[in-house]
Amino acid sequence: ELSHSLLGHDSLMTPFLTARFGSISARQRLMTFGESTFSRQSKLCRKSDGELILEATLLISEPSIPEAMLRQLQRDDTPFGLLLAEHGLATTIAERALYFKSNSDPTMVRWGRRHFILNADDESRICQVDELLVPEAELVRLSKSMARGSDGV
């Protein structure tokens, strides 16, 4: 399944989504601040047509990222993985676990993963991640449209 190939790795999600679907943006839905954390809920969509690919919830340790990156997270639509790379933060993934959400329609099963992004230098926690893909049939449709070049990227 396409869902499993997109989720079953210990790397950042952004490069996998970009390779399969073209340029993506992170449309923010909700941001909240704690004492030393920042939570960002967003929808990752294909830039060319706005099609939803994945919903993401990040619980970020503010001290673990540069202030400039935190400001970008608050105002830009750049995916978190791209920001990590732009700011030179080498990362690793830990404790990856796949899960699924379903309802009465088996074609609407959605696969996701939860994991931690760690700083590769000292293994400190940068953030906790929950990523939930759209249903498999939708992923396949989006992937085929990308292969045909119909998304304009």
Side-chain angles (χ1 to χ4, degrees):
E1 289 184 335
L2 182 54
S3 296
H4 290 151
S5 70
L6 291 171
L7 298 169
H9 57 85
D10 288 327
S11 301
L12 296 173
M13 182 61 77
T14 307
F16 281 81
L17 295 180
T18 301
R20 179 64 75 159
F21 303 106
S23 296
I24 57 172
S25 64
R27 296 181 180 167
Q28 296 186 42
R29 293 186 334 209
L30 180 65
M31 291 184 289
T32 56
F33 293 87
E35 283 188 35
S36 63
T37 61
F38 168 69
S39 177
R40 173 176 145 169
Q41 292 180 5
S42 58
K43 293 182 176 188
L44 274 62
C45 301
R46 191 161 50 185
K47 278 188 177 180
S48 62
D49 58 12
E51 290 275 4
L52 175 65
I53 300 166
L54 177 143
E55 293 177 289
T57 302
L58 308 173
L59 182 60
I60 301 158
S61 169
E62 286 186 41
S64 70
I65 61 173
E67 181 66 32
M69 184 175 168
L70 182 61
R71 285 192 303 275
Q72 280 184 278
L73 277 169
Q74 293 170 13
R75 69 171 193 264
D76 293 351
D77 66 353
T78 306
F80 190 65
L82 289 178
L83 289 175
L84 288 168
E86 286 175 10
H87 289 271
L89 292 173
T91 61
T92 60
I93 302 296
E95 300 180 40
R96 176 177 47 91
L98 301 185
Y99 69 95
F100 68 92
K101 286 189 172 185
S102 64
N103 58 27
S104 59
D105 182 352
T107 65
M108 297 305 291
V109 171
R110 297 177 68 187
W111 284 92
R113 74 177 188 167
R114 294 181 181 108
H115 59 87
F116 297 101
I117 297 176
L118 307 178
N119 184 310
D121 294 332
D122 61 11
E123 296 189 358
S124 61
R125 188 177 295 177
I126 294 174
C127 79
Q128 180 178 336
V129 181
D130 186 331
E131 299 163 321
L132 183 63
L133 292 166
V134 297
E136 182 74 15
E138 184 67 7
L139 286 173
V140 171
R141 182 187 70 77
L142 293 168
S143 183
K144 285 181 180 177
S145 72
M146 179 67 187
R148 287 192 309 265
S150 64
D151 74 345
V153 174

